[in-house]
Amino acid sequence: MSEDQRNIVLITYDSLRADHCGHWGYERDTTPTLDRMAEDGVVFENAVASGVPTIASMTSVMTGEHSLASPEIGFNTEQREQVTSRPTIAEVLSDAGYTTGALSPNPPASSYFGFDDGFDWFEDFLAEDEGVFERAMNRIFESSIEGGGLSTYVRLFKNVATRDEILRPWEDFYEEIQAWRERAEEPYFLWVLLLEPHHPWMPPAEYQQWSSRSDKYRAFRQYYEMFTGGWSPDFDPEIRQRLIDLYDDSIRYGDAFLERIQEDFAADDPAFLVHADHGEEFGTHDRYGHQPDLYEDLVHVPLVIGNVDRSDRVERPVALRQLAPTIAELGDASHSFTAPSLFEESERPWVTSKVFAEGDRRVAIRTQSGKYITEPGREELYDLAADPEERSDLADDGAEGTEAFGLAVEHHVASEQERRAIRNGIGEVLGGGDL
């Protein structure tokens, strides 16, 4: 282990909004451990998810590039190609001599989509295709991922009955993480994705500070309405608050994982990078959940780096795709990621997020205090300092900045297309190998 190579732990919280974290000013004590880490570490106040939902966001985290897959083309084919055809941070660190391990109970960030590339150990709890039951469950899983109606409900029922996938609490698998640590040689890179902030929220009774035990089960009716109503149910204020209470208690439970792993791994002196893949909507724009969109509820995420001998609050906007080169820098590993490290000052005062929604790509440019969103036939502009909930669209009023933002998007798209064409051309010359 080189003196310049740090042990590194990356923790991803699924669906954790920045504004529900204590260090971001939230009135509830949802994230005490992360808040303590923020006091001594580096807090990125304007961290932005590069895509929504998980599969798009985590593709950018692992590869340092935006996800380009469209649901119309097929997530299960093109999305996997985008992960497996690009160098991932796990592969970069593995080449640099790291032992690599990961645990991800969320199927959209599983080996099914190639997220195991570069990891020596990867646990995603997908069934081994060894028996009749396992093969049937795998077919149901694949069909539900592709949008199969009945199979989606069969899969959800199975998860509720067995507390599997999104209902698996972190305490169920913590021993597996410890066992990996005991056999891993240093330096190591560990990635853990936690599903506690992801609906349906089922916090253990001892962590229910704001919700009641009955709330967990009464809320299943609301989850059903969310799944079947296009994520736009008209919940009354009492129901909305019940969901937020469950969400906050689940965040508090997820924060307990961070406390435990920091204590158990302290002797290894690892750098900790903690972030969310995206946020969660609670009706601000008449929707719940985290379907592909670019409002702050979804793209503004917590991002804190601890135990790196730096304490700072960074106000400039940063994107999650900058995590890959940052981790490579901490590991003293050579890489080909084009995004700058989070520790580098950028000449460009904005970052981008992208999603596919209703067949069209939406692109957002996020500055420190503003947001521009564009899609075919529509553009939106918001002053986040004056309008943090993005309710007043300045583009409708012909604001001066609208045209400038539009030109910036055109420049960004042209640069990305050129870079992709160059990479594909080199790949063909090299016979399709990874670059």
Side-chain angles (χ1 to χ4, degrees):
M1 178 176 176
S2 155
E3 292 182 359
D4 296 323
Q5 290 183 308
R6 298 288 308 277
N7 292 319
I8 301 169
V9 177
L10 174 68
I11 297 175
T12 302
Y13 284 100
D14 197 314
S15 310
L16 175 58
R17 293 168 57 132
D19 62 0
H20 276 246
C21 298
H23 65 276
W24 237 93
Y26 195 47
E27 65 272 13
R28 288 176 166 177
D29 191 22
T30 51
T31 53
T33 310
L34 184 59
D35 298 341
R36 289 192 296 270
M37 182 174 153
E39 288 179 5
D40 301 324
V42 185
V43 179
F44 296 89
E45 296 187 345
N46 290 290
V48 175
S50 298
V52 180
T54 297
I55 194 165
S57 180
M58 292 314 301
T59 295
S60 69
V61 169
M62 289 296 160
T63 68
E65 296 190 35
H66 283 288
S67 168
L68 303 174
S70 165
E72 283 68 34
I73 297 174
F75 276 133
N76 64 329
T77 54
E78 181 166 325
Q79 192 69 51
R80 180 179 177 84
E81 287 180 9
Q82 289 196 41
V83 177
T84 58
S85 65
R86 302 169 175 178
T88 67
I89 184 57
E91 291 174 310
V92 165
L93 291 181
S94 181
D95 290 343
Y98 272 73
T99 303
T100 55
L103 189 147
S104 171
N106 193 357
S110 67
S111 57
Y112 182 80
F113 291 108
F115 284 96
D116 57 331
D117 269 16
F119 286 104
D120 305 316
W121 171 70
F122 191 94
E123 177 59 77
D124 55 13
F125 305 105
L126 296 187
E128 295 291 337
D129 198 13
E130 295 178 347
V132 174
F133 177 77
E134 287 77 10
R135 285 194 293 272
M137 284 296 102
N138 285 341
R139 283 195 295 271
I140 290 171
F141 165 75
E142 292 179 16
S143 179
S144 66
I145 283 288
E146 295 170 11
L150 178 60
S151 61
T152 298
Y153 296 105
V154 172
R155 179 178 157 214
L156 288 172
F157 177 80
K158 175 245 187 186
N159 290 345
V160 170
T162 63
R163 291 184 67 81
D164 202 4
E165 290 182 19
I166 59 175
L167 289 172
R168 184 185 291 267
W170 65 260
E171 288 172 293
D172 274 11
F173 54 68
Y174 189 80
E175 289 184 0
E176 296 189 46
I177 295 172
Q178 286 183 309
W180 174 83
R181 170 59 198 100
E182 290 173 1
R183 64 179 184 269
E185 295 184 4
E186 298 187 50
Y188 62 73
F189 169 56
L190 173 66
W191 169 46
V192 180
L193 187 151
L194 296 172
L195 284 163
E196 269 58 42
H198 191 292
H199 60 258
W201 303 293
M202 299 287 287
E206 60 268 31
Y207 285 91
Q208 288 191 260
Q209 183 171 346
W210 301 288
S211 64
S212 68
R213 183 171 299 185
S214 63
D215 284 342
K216 289 192 291 189
Y217 304 101
R218 291 166 64 198
F220 269 96
R221 178 177 178 180
Q222 280 77 61
Y223 300 142
Y224 176 80
E225 290 184 39
M226 289 161 61
F227 276 112
T228 60
W231 305 96
S232 301
D234 186 19
F235 293 144
D236 64 41
E238 182 180 348
I239 291 176
R240 177 180 183 272
Q241 188 58 51
R242 180 189 305 154
L243 295 175
I244 291 175
D245 292 344
L246 287 167
Y247 178 65
D248 287 345
D249 280 334
S250 297
I251 293 172
R252 181 67 183 252
Y253 176 50
D255 184 81
F257 171 89
L258 179 60
E259 180 180 33
R260 184 163 175 185
I261 197 170
Q262 284 185 331
E263 292 175 354
D264 291 348
F265 282 49
D268 300 339
D269 193 34
F272 280 93
L273 298 91
V274 181
H275 74 103
D277 58 348
H278 54 74
E280 187 81 356
E281 290 186 296
F282 286 99
T284 302
H285 293 92
D286 301 320
R287 275 188 314 229
Y288 287 76
H290 45 264
Q291 296 306 292
D293 218 326
L294 295 167
Y295 294 115
E296 289 293 282
D297 298 2
L298 294 173
V299 299
H300 184 204
V301 295
L303 174 57
V304 181
I305 300 179
N307 197 26
V308 290
D309 298 322
R310 287 185 56 169
S311 180
D312 194 10
R313 294 188 79 96
V314 177
E315 294 184 351
R316 71 177 187 277
V318 299
L320 289 186
R321 71 191 193 95
Q322 294 175 248
L323 274 168
T326 304
I327 294 170
E329 180 181 315
L330 289 171
D332 193 32
S334 60
H335 65 87
S336 59
F337 301 125
T338 57
S341 162
L342 290 166
F343 298 131
E344 292 180 34
E345 290 288 343
S346 175
E347 297 179 358
R348 194 175 67 180
W350 47 270
V351 294
T352 56
S353 295
K354 303 175 185 178
V355 299
F356 273 97
E358 299 173 356
D360 292 321
R361 172 173 289 191
R362 297 175 182 172
V363 180
I365 285 186
R366 172 68 150 77
T367 68
Q368 187 169 319
S369 60
K371 165 84 74 61
Y372 172 80
I373 304 173
T374 182
E375 62 180 297
R378 179 170 175 77
E379 54 186 355
E380 302 170 61
L381 180 65
Y382 299 99
D383 179 353
L384 298 179
D387 178 26
E389 291 190 344
E390 299 164 293
R391 293 186 181 276
S392 179
D393 182 1
L394 301 178
D396 289 341
D397 300 328
E400 292 182 6
T402 305
E403 183 177 356
F405 274 114
L407 291 174
V409 169
E410 291 179 10
H411 174 74
H412 167 74
V413 171
S415 298
E416 186 178 74
Q417 288 174 339
E418 180 180 8
R419 186 167 59 249
R420 189 161 64 249
I422 292 172
R423 184 178 64 242
N424 291 342
I426 295 174
E428 291 178 4
V429 171
L430 296 178
D434 288 352
L435 302 181

